[in-house]
Amino acid sequence: MAEDWNQDVGEAVYRSRDPINNLRIRVSLQRVTPAIALVQRMQEEDANRGGLELQALHSNPEESRGHQPNEEKEEVVISWQEKLFSQFEFELYQNEAACRTPLDHQYYQDVLSLVRGGGRKNKRIFTYTDHDRYTNLEEHSQSVTTSQNETPTFLAERMANVRRRRQDKRQVDGVGMRHRFITLKPSDEFIRNNHIINTPVQTMYIMADLGPSGNLGLREHEHVLGTVRVDANGVITLKPDVTGTKGPYRLEVEGEKRQLWRYTLQHVSESVQKEEQEREQHIYKDLYSRHKEYLNSLVGSDFEMPPAGTLRVFINGEIVSAQEFDYDNLYVHFFVELPKYWSSPGFQELSGVTQSCRTKTHERDSVAYFCYPFSFELFLSEEADSEETPQLPVLFFEVLSLDFWQRYRVEGYGSVVLPGTPGMHVLTAQTWRPVELGVLTELKRFFIGGSPELEDLTYVRVPGTFQGQHLSRLGFRTKSSGSLTLRLHCLHHSRSFLDGRSMRKRMQSVLDHLGHSSQQSSIHNVLDAFQRARRRMQQARDSLPLDILNISKATLEQSTA
């Protein structure tokens, strides 16, 4: 036989955003007889030769055997969840006494309408919708491979028994269904029973009654031609796939006589016209624009701007960790000191205390991880441009410890200058603590707690209240302590960023001054400058002639006398 059968009977998965009610499938069913096969073969060999004889050959065997052409070939266009009654259902629902459910009564009314209209249009092809009481036994097949010796697993058995249909939400005491979303201590049986995919879907079966012509309506003659499943996400699963350009599907029926049937599934949904597509795009565009307006109404269209002539600085910081301190159970007290031309809102708190944290060993160091967040909002006036070196705010902090016996100790003092540039900055500040001569202070610190403290925490740097030119720390003894790691995220906000170039340059000069002052405030940079100056003086002295050095020495002696 020249027929090219389609052997691919697996599932095909599609996805569509269009309403599923627009789905249309044309189903063609035909019984294959030797005469029909011979006619098809001869038509393929020579379509122009013996047309009348072929037509007679096609019709005479059917008439001689008593078969009607409309019973051997049938074609129906089926829409989504369209109910086509079988011969069995058509006879069943003509009797109102057989109706038990509201669906049965609905079918009873539909069948009466069909009887008044002249009977069923379909003969062999019918459908089972999602509401019908039908289960395909092939869905319960537990084999997942082609092996003959396969043993189904527990999961395969449970999945085969899952009836995945649409699940309507029921009410419990006037409230929605209550679920326990989290099971803290699931048992093994609970895990086994819930390890199942149960996605709600709607299912529709396209069926065929392949019984003898005068004996339709028996359940054993019903066969599944195709299955259509649709879930809420628009995923459409067809089994088997639509025929398309491939050959028809083959269906063999065993009975008194072995029969061979061929059927095709064609997708015949109406395509969207150009005008309708443009109208749909216009509706989507209008919907998106309205949704955007709704979001703007929630957020607000006016972007809050700082006052004119000011720079707003947002600092979202985090005290990450403290390491290499003497004792455990550390906590940090910190505050921000604002220099001249800086201010903050009245509700803003510029100080804070972290939680106490125990240390753990990390790469031979004792580290306490705080991960304590804080945030500041500061304002810088544009008047700072008139000063040569405006100052940046400084974050002062002290690290303390509190043990089990409520013994309190100061572990170290430190400070960091807040960055003058936006972005993320990771800073590590070294700390120190004051000490006294002798071992008595250390013994007291160890046994009963307590240690020398600073009355003014800003003494870590030059205090803001100091008015002199030289700050003497002669006789003040200190000891190096651990370090504190901070992570700062800085954001700058100003109207001048949107104004003309002159305003931008003016504000940029302020930032440049701030960056210069922060560099000058670094002790390491100052010490490096001293060392470079000393080396230059030494190099200049070594390059002078010997007589000039002698004259300079004599002049120095005379001035001393």
Side-chain angles (χ1 to χ4, degrees):
M1 200 179 339
E3 191 78 57
D4 293 332
W5 300 106
N6 190 352
Q7 303 295 334
D8 186 8
V9 293
E11 292 184 348
V13 181
Y14 302 90
R15 183 164 186 171
S16 175
R17 295 187 302 176
D18 295 332
I20 190 59
N21 295 331
N22 298 333
L23 179 64
R24 300 291 185 275
I25 297 178
R26 179 187 290 118
V27 183
S28 299
L29 178 66
Q30 183 180 8
R31 189 169 72 92
V32 179
T33 60
I36 295 177
L38 180 60
V39 169
Q40 290 178 352
R41 182 175 181 180
M42 296 180 66
Q43 286 178 347
E44 292 178 358
E45 291 179 354
D46 191 1
N48 299 324
R49 183 180 58 187
L52 296 176
E53 290 79 6
L54 292 176
Q55 183 178 2
L57 181 63
H58 178 73
S59 58
N60 290 336
E62 303 299 331
E63 296 175 357
S64 62
R65 295 186 182 184
H67 294 292
Q68 299 298 326
N70 59 349
E71 293 182 356
E72 301 300 329
K73 184 176 181 180
E74 186 176 350
E75 184 174 290
V76 179
V77 176
I78 302 175
S79 60
W80 172 246
Q81 296 296 343
E82 180 183 359
K83 179 60 180 176
L84 298 180
F85 294 97
S86 64
Q87 183 66 30
F88 173 79
E89 292 175 321
F90 186 75
E91 297 174 356
L92 174 66
Y93 291 118
Q94 290 184 16
N95 184 11
E96 188 176 4
C99 301
R100 299 181 180 275
T101 64
L103 182 63
D104 295 341
H105 289 281
Q106 177 64 37
Y107 285 166
Y108 170 72
Q109 299 295 332
D110 296 340
V111 169
L112 291 183
S113 300
L114 290 176
V115 171
R116 288 191 293 265
R120 295 187 306 138
K121 305 300 180 183
N122 58 304
K123 297 300 181 182
R124 294 184 179 272
I125 300 176
F126 62 97
T127 60
Y128 283 129
T129 64
D130 189 66
H131 302 284
D132 291 332
R133 297 181 296 272
Y134 172 77
T135 302
N136 186 10
L137 296 179
E138 294 182 358
E139 293 182 350
H140 295 266
S141 176
Q142 299 175 0
S143 60
V144 294
T145 65
T146 57
S147 175
Q148 298 293 335
N149 301 324
E150 178 189 357
T151 301
T153 62
F154 174 80
L155 180 59
E157 293 177 354
R158 294 302 302 272
M159 286 299 299
N161 295 325
V162 170
R163 183 176 175 85
R164 296 182 293 172
R165 295 295 178 89
R166 184 180 65 252
Q167 298 177 356
D168 299 329
K169 294 183 178 180
R170 294 174 295 178
Q171 298 291 324
V172 179
D173 296 333
V175 191
M177 293 185 66
R178 300 176 180 177
H179 297 278
R180 177 178 294 179
F181 294 99
I182 300 176
T183 303
L184 299 179
K185 296 181 180 180
S187 61
D188 295 338
E189 185 66 21
F190 179 84
I191 296 175
R192 287 164 59 90
N193 293 336
N194 287 273
H195 187 57
I196 298 171
I197 301 175
N198 188 14
T199 306
V201 297
Q202 288 183 280
T203 308
M204 178 181 180
Y205 295 98
I206 302 175
M207 309 292 294
D209 189 347
L210 304 182
S213 301
N215 193 19
L216 297 179
L218 299 179
R219 287 297 181 93
E220 57 267 18
H221 295 157
E222 295 182 359
H223 296 270
V224 179
L225 299 183
T227 306
V228 185
R229 294 186 182 89
V230 179
D231 64 8
N233 299 322
V235 178
I236 305 173
T237 305
L238 303 178
K239 183 181 180 180
D241 193 8
V242 292
T243 309
T245 58
K246 302 178 182 179
Y249 293 107
R250 171 180 183 150
L251 187 59
E252 294 185 7
V253 179
E254 299 290 344
E256 297 179 359
K257 294 181 180 180
R258 183 178 180 183
Q259 296 181 354
L260 180 62
W261 295 81
R262 62 189 296 272
Y263 68 96
T264 58
L265 304 174
Q266 299 290 339
H267 178 234
V268 292
S269 301
E270 295 182 3
S271 13
V272 180
Q273 301 297 329
K274 185 177 180 180
E275 295 78 7
E276 295 180 358
Q277 188 174 5
E278 292 178 354
R279 189 185 308 113
E280 182 181 2
Q281 292 178 355
H282 179 72
I283 293 175
Y284 276 122
K285 186 181 297 184
D286 183 58
L287 178 63
Y288 293 151
S289 62
R290 292 191 178 187
H291 184 65
K292 183 178 179 180
E293 293 176 359
Y294 171 71
L295 295 179
N296 290 335
S297 65
L298 295 179
V299 177
S301 58
D302 296 334
F303 190 75
E304 182 183 359
M305 296 293 292
T310 59
L311 172 68
R312 174 185 288 175
V313 179
F314 293 95
I315 297 179
N316 293 323
E318 177 189 2
I319 299 179
V320 181
S321 61
Q323 48 273 347
E324 299 179 1
F325 286 97
D326 295 337
Y327 289 90
D328 203 351
N329 291 328
L330 303 176
Y331 66 97
V332 181
H333 171 234
F334 61 94
F335 70 93
V336 175
E337 184 185 47
L338 300 180
K340 189 178 180 181
Y341 304 116
W342 286 87
S343 61
S344 64
F347 61 86
Q348 181 73 63
E349 295 184 1
L350 299 180
S351 62
V353 181
T354 68
Q355 76 280 8
S356 60
C357 182
R358 295 184 60 87
T359 61
K360 68 177 183 178
T361 303
H362 177 70
E363 295 181 358
R364 298 183 179 181
D365 295 331
S366 297
V367 184
Y369 293 97
F370 294 101
C371 300
Y372 182 83
F374 61 89
S375 60
F376 301 129
E377 180 181 359
L378 309 176
F379 292 91
L380 171 63
S381 175
E382 198 174 354
E383 298 175 357
D385 190 23
S386 60
E387 189 171 330
E388 294 183 358
T389 57
Q391 301 294 321
L392 279 169
V394 181
L395 177 66
F396 293 93
F397 59 87
E398 59 176 338
V399 182
L400 307 105
S401 65
L402 187 66
D403 61 10
F404 176 78
W405 302 102
Q406 301 299 312
R407 291 178 297 188
Y408 154 86
R409 303 177 182 88
V410 174
E411 299 295 334
Y413 296 96
S415 65
V416 292
V417 179
L418 298 183
T421 56
M424 187 191 74
H425 307 270
V426 178
L427 307 176
T428 301
Q430 301 295 328
T431 62
W432 52 266
R433 60 182 180 88
V435 295
E436 295 180 355
L437 291 176
V439 297
L440 182 61
T441 304
E442 295 299 323
L443 290 175
K444 178 182 177 181
R445 170 183 170 86
F446 179 80
F447 285 104
I448 63 175
S451 57
E453 302 179 19
L454 296 179
E455 294 184 0
D456 185 4
L457 207 60
T458 59
Y459 194 73
V460 175
R461 304 173 63 87
V462 178
T465 58
F466 179 72
Q467 302 295 332
Q469 297 182 353
H470 304 283
L471 177 63
S472 175
R473 289 195 173 108
L474 182 63
F476 184 64
R477 301 177 61 88
T478 61
K479 180 181 179 181
S480 298
S481 186
S483 60
L484 189 71
T485 302
L486 302 98
R487 182 183 293 111
L488 303 177
H489 298 266
C490 302
L491 176 65
H492 291 180
H493 186 202
S494 176
R495 290 179 181 268
S496 61
F497 296 153
L498 301 176
D499 296 339
R501 294 184 178 179
S502 59
M503 294 296 294
R504 292 187 184 181
K505 291 182 179 180
R506 188 173 182 182
M507 183 57 67
Q508 188 63 36
S509 64
V510 176
L511 297 177
D512 292 340
H513 285 316
L514 292 174
H516 182 66
S517 65
S518 63
Q519 291 180 0
Q520 286 186 344
S521 62
S522 176
I523 298 178
H524 298 286
N525 292 337
V526 173
L527 293 178
D528 292 341
F530 286 163
Q531 293 177 0
R532 288 194 298 269
R534 188 180 296 109
R535 284 195 298 267
R536 285 197 298 269
M537 293 178 60
Q538 185 65 30
Q539 292 174 0
R541 183 175 182 180
D542 294 341
S543 62
L544 292 177
L546 184 60
D547 54 350
I548 296 179
L549 291 177
N550 293 333
I551 294 174
S552 300
K553 183 177 180 181
T555 304
L556 181 61
E557 291 177 353
Q558 291 178 2
S559 62
T560 304

